[in-house]
Amino acid sequence: MKEQWRIPVLFFCIATLFVAVSCGDAGKGAGGKVDNKVAGVTVHPENPQNLADSHAAGGYGCLECHDSEAGAVEDNLVAENRKCIDCHGSLEDLADVGVKNGVKVHESHLIGDIACTACHKGHRPSVSYCASCHSFKHEIAYGREWQPEEIDIDSDKARQNVALAAGAKEHTDVVVVGSGGAGLAAAVAAREQGASVILFEKEPVGGGNAKLAAGGMNAAETTAQAARGIEDHVQTMIDDTMKGGRNINDPVLVEILAERSASSIDWLMAMGADLTDVGRMGGASVNRSHRPTGGAGVGAHVTQVLWDQAKKLGVDIRLNSKVVRLVKNETGDVAGVLVHGQISGYYLVGADAVVMATGGFSRNNALVSLYDPKLKGFKSTNQSGAIGDGLKVAQKAGVATKDLQYIQAHPTYSPLGGVMVTEAVRGNGAILINRDGKRFVNEITTRDKAAAAILAQKGESAFLVFDDTIRKSLKKIESYISLGFVLQSETLSGLAEKAGIGGDLAAAITQYNDAQKAGKDGAFQRQDLPRPISTPPFYAIEVTPAVHHTMGGIMIDSATRVLDSEGEIINGLYAAGEATGGVHGANRLGGNAISDIVTFGRIAGKEAAKRAAAK
Ligand code: FAD
Ligand code: MEZ
């Protein structure tokens, strides 16, 4: 490791498009001085514009960042990431570097292999990828804010056609599109059946929205519930889900969701997942939301477990690789995908079955407000890739869709932090207080009702108020505190002053604590009153609703086969997770999405592998 390179960490090396090709001979003198002009790429060591320039200025050649000669750079940028780590250290090594306002930029919850290149680019502006979700700003060398790009389904038509005319570059049993929970579950399940699997992910990091999931994964009749003496029934989960979804859910899909939920937990735990903590989510009759011990975030954990398993089983995961078209054969069966790789460009992959696990579109406000104009201009809780690319690709292939007009706002998004505050905070005892210092809603009612109630308050926002016991009951709260958007005071009057809450906050808390003690919430009929709010310090987070989940999507049958607008099965095409419609009806219950993506992702993978085996 070169010592002088360890310090300016933000000046990482990295590469993108055309680099290996263009570096060719110039790279041969790796470590030596380079020309400031190599074929196809101009570097300006005298006036660095990007990381390639700054490296060149330091006298380092192309092969310092790239592994070998022309053509060796692939879409995952594995060699380039390895070289960053060789010179600068791993994310763990760098955890204390780049700390800003107490936030450690290199200590991230992103899953998968470390991708330095997600932020640090060689030949184009670097980006602060974390700023796509968080509201904090990090300066990044030669960088700019991250701007997600929406798919233009018909762009580069000529190049797409050239790739299609060239025929399939390779063939696999199963293609999975999307590396969120549904995609990873499908990939693992298909490999368990012996199918070869290629998984494409358009983003530079894996995990989709699934990696952000916080509160838990719903399941009924589980071992963890039994160990805690919680009596639950599959039928109760079905009833809660149908009621929450305003009874327009597809009952067959809901039955599968609930019946297989415990087995999905067992499947994950057999891979090493820790899902032993059980909490309450809105609209649930009992505690059935499973998460890691101490109430840590469920999504980063589950996706990491699935990612590791997928890698262990030999799934070929390709990041920076957008599927731009489903390709059909002469009989109309789906027989492959057209991919646009960041480095490799357009290419065609043949497959016996394709699983669409492309998630939702909450982050695309133009599309959201097209289906629900009330949500125009709303912020979103989602990751930057949740813009409906998969939906567009599927629609182009003639799939039927369902319930697209049902879009959910999560009630508690922090405008200051730019992130969602998990429902588990309320589940563990926090209450909602308005600017007049009053409670105004059952905090654990369904999201549609809680969100509407918050929007009806002065300032269209409210405050989540909790105490130190609640903080200690849920690890996830520590991350909100470390992100710096939680107000804190030793007294309720001090907290009210800091938050700008008028009226008599202490009286509202006393009233709530009395109800909690009596086990009966006469004011708002909250069923679950886990603990009083009485142990200082006290905390408050300003919250307002933000677009969170798109209930509608691709229409599937009970075996996750995709239907066309005539209700006919499109052979070879499967879909699972938030990309689909039907499971959640008009309103999803908290905790049901992770359950959905694992259960239906698993079914899709198995069914896709079955089709491949039968071919
Ligand atoms: P995603 O996880 O979104 O993955 C889809 C992937 O497909 C993305 O990575 C995307 O980039 C990729 N993709 C899309 N189009 C293409 C294309 N054309 N080519 C290649 N790749 C493509 N639910 C719960 O049940 N419990 C919770 O506690 C919970 N907490 C949440 C917290 C937050 C902040 C958010 C945003 C959601 C939460 N949810 C929770 C909801 C849940 O996380 C999502 O509904 C779920 O993760 C969706 O999983 P998925 O696999 O279907 O899609
Ligand atoms: O299911 C969800 O979206 C969920 C539980 C989110 C959260 O509040 O943690």
Side-chain angles (χ1 to χ4, degrees):
M1 171 128 14
K2 297 170 184 70
E3 276 309 310
Q4 73 271 29
W5 284 63
R6 280 200 132 271
I7 304 139
V9 164
L10 292 174
F11 296 89
F12 273 8
C13 55
I14 298 316
T16 54
L17 204 53
F18 303 130
V19 167
V21 178
S22 53
C23 281
D25 286 339
K28 278 183 184 156
K33 287 277 178 198
V34 289
D35 291 340
N36 67 354
K37 250 193 182 166
V38 291
V41 175
T42 303
V43 292
H44 305 277
E46 67 290 349
N47 179 22
Q49 303 288 317
N50 57 41
L51 294 175
D53 287 350
S54 75
H55 281 67
Y60 295 94
C62 302
L63 290 184
E64 287 294 334
C65 292
H66 303 290
D67 226 5
S68 61
E69 308 267 328
V73 177
E74 42 75 62
D75 294 320
N76 282 335
L77 296 163
V78 170
E80 288 69 22
N81 279 288
R82 197 181 49 232
K83 294 225 175 186
C84 297
I85 292 166
D86 284 351
C87 286
H88 302 285
S90 66
L91 273 196
E92 238 168 42
D93 296 335
L94 299 171
D96 291 326
V97 177
V99 181
K100 202 142 193 223
N101 303 327
V103 176
K104 296 182 172 185
V105 284
H106 291 106
E107 192 180 68
S108 95
H109 54 79
L110 301 180
I111 68 145
D113 308 317
I114 297 170
C116 308
T117 50
C119 293
H120 305 281
K121 317 281 182 191
H123 297 275
R124 53 186 178 138
S126 292
V127 294
S128 178
Y129 190 74
C130 41
S132 68
C133 284
H134 297 278
S135 63
F136 47 70
K137 305 231 179 298
H138 291 301
E139 283 158 28
I140 184 161
Y142 314 114
R144 60 166 164 80
E145 290 280 297
W146 168 258
Q147 293 292 342
E149 275 168 28
E150 201 178 329
I151 195 170
D152 176 355
I153 203 118
D154 289 324
S155 73
D156 281 333
K157 213 46 185 187
R159 288 187 206 189
Q160 289 190 22
N161 287 339
V162 169
L164 289 169
K169 191 171 153 183
E170 56 199 320
H171 187 278
T172 184
D173 293 336
V174 175
V175 155
V176 175
V177 191
S179 72
L184 290 170
V188 168
R191 279 297 297 137
E192 283 177 345
Q193 301 299 310
S196 56
V197 182
I198 303 178
L199 184 152
F200 294 105
E201 168 57 55
K202 69 190 171 106
E203 294 289 294
V205 293
N209 268 342
K211 69 177 171 288
L212 306 181
M217 167 172 170
N218 288 352
E221 299 183 27
T222 66
T223 319
Q225 284 178 312
R228 289 165 174 256
I230 300 164
E231 192 185 329
D232 194 9
H233 302 284
V234 164
Q235 190 57 47
T236 318
M237 181 167 168
I238 293 173
D239 294 344
D240 287 348
T241 302
M242 292 299 298
K243 187 174 169 207
R246 296 184 222 136
N247 285 307
I248 67 150
N249 324 44
D250 180 333
V252 175
L253 299 181
V254 173
E255 216 172 288
I256 295 172
L257 175 81
E259 263 171 9
R260 305 209 191 165
S261 60
S263 129
S264 288
I265 297 264
D266 292 344
W267 186 62
L268 291 169
M269 289 185 69
M271 286 175 217
D274 164 15
L275 292 165
T276 45
D277 191 55
V278 189
R280 178 77 62 116
M281 291 292 144
S285 313
V286 300
N287 288 15
R288 69 163 70 95
S289 216
H290 297 66
R291 54 203 179 206
T293 309
V298 70
H301 176 63
V302 163
T303 44
Q304 186 68 58
V305 166
L306 284 168
W307 178 279
D308 291 345
Q309 188 73 0
K311 294 292 263 190
K312 192 168 125 195
L313 295 180
V315 174
D316 178 353
I317 300 180
R318 301 186 191 174
L319 299 172
N320 301 309
S321 301
K322 186 179 284 194
V323 166
V324 294
R325 200 187 301 183
L326 291 166
V327 179
K328 292 184 178 172
N329 64 16
E330 55 293 342
T331 57
D333 296 359
V334 168
V337 290
L338 184 66
V339 184
H340 185 225
Q342 184 186 316
I343 308 291
S344 49
Y346 291 101
Y347 64 98
L348 178 63
V349 174
D352 295 329
V354 175
V355 179
M356 293 300 279
T358 46
F361 57 91
S362 290
R363 190 62 187 258
N364 184 340
N365 196 258
L367 202 53
V368 164
S369 49
L370 196 70
Y371 290 113
D372 185 351
K374 288 193 305 300
L375 295 171
K376 193 171 170 58
F378 273 55
K379 296 275 191 201
S380 170
T381 62
N382 283 205
Q383 63 110 4
S384 60
I387 49 179
D389 282 345
L391 181 65
K392 283 190 195 168
V393 170
Q395 282 175 321
K396 185 94 177 168
V399 309
T401 56
K402 170 177 184 39
D403 298 341
L404 287 171
Q405 71 277 28
Y406 295 114
I407 300 174
Q408 175 176 82
H410 191 286
T412 59
Y413 165 88
S414 157
L416 192 59
V419 292
M420 182 203 81
V421 179
T422 175
E423 199 163 310
V425 179
R426 282 172 282 143
N428 280 19
I431 60 172
L432 282 164
I433 291 286
N434 66 18
R435 285 188 164 69
D436 295 326
K438 293 197 162 71
R439 267 183 88 208
F440 55 91
V441 71
N442 167 2
E443 289 81 3
I444 54 161
T445 182
T446 52
R447 290 179 176 168
D448 46 356
K449 293 183 184 139
I454 293 172
L455 287 174
Q457 305 308 305
K458 242 184 244 168
E460 299 188 343
S461 68
F463 293 89
L464 265 176
V465 174
F466 53 97
D467 73 351
D468 209 48
T469 313
I470 294 169
R471 172 183 176 175
K472 290 201 168 80
S473 74
L474 195 72
K475 270 192 194 150
K476 190 72 196 157
I477 291 177
E478 297 310 315
S479 65
Y480 305 140
I481 290 174
S482 73
L483 286 169
F485 59 81
V486 184
L487 299 171
Q488 177 171 340
S489 172
E490 285 301 316
T491 62
L492 285 168
S493 57
L495 191 69
E497 197 181 322
K498 278 188 177 168
I501 297 173
D504 191 346
L505 177 62
I509 300 289
T510 303
Q511 203 179 9
Y512 174 78
N513 286 344
D514 289 346
Q516 193 275 335
K517 197 167 170 198
K520 189 168 167 45
D521 177 22
F524 298 103
Q525 286 77 49
R526 176 174 173 161
Q527 279 179 318
D528 186 46
L529 303 154
R531 39 181 75 82
I533 298 174
S534 54
T535 309
F538 299 100
Y539 305 89
I541 305 175
E542 186 187 1
V543 289
T544 191
V547 183
H548 184 60
H549 193 90
T550 46
M551 267 72 70
I554 302 167
M555 208 157 160
I556 54 168
D557 70 5
S558 59
T560 71
R561 292 175 297 192
V562 173
L563 308 177
D564 67 15
S565 49
E566 309 293 316
E568 299 292 330
I569 289 162
I570 302 178
N571 288 322
L573 188 60
Y574 302 80
E578 199 173 333
T580 67
V583 178
H584 307 291
N587 177 56
R588 177 174 69 76
L589 291 190
N592 266 358
I594 299 299
S595 204
D596 166 8
I597 64 181
V598 177
T599 294
F600 287 97
R602 221 178 142 192
I603 295 172
K606 207 165 168 181
E607 291 294 323
K610 216 157 81 183
R611 175 178 162 86
K615 284 213 109 192

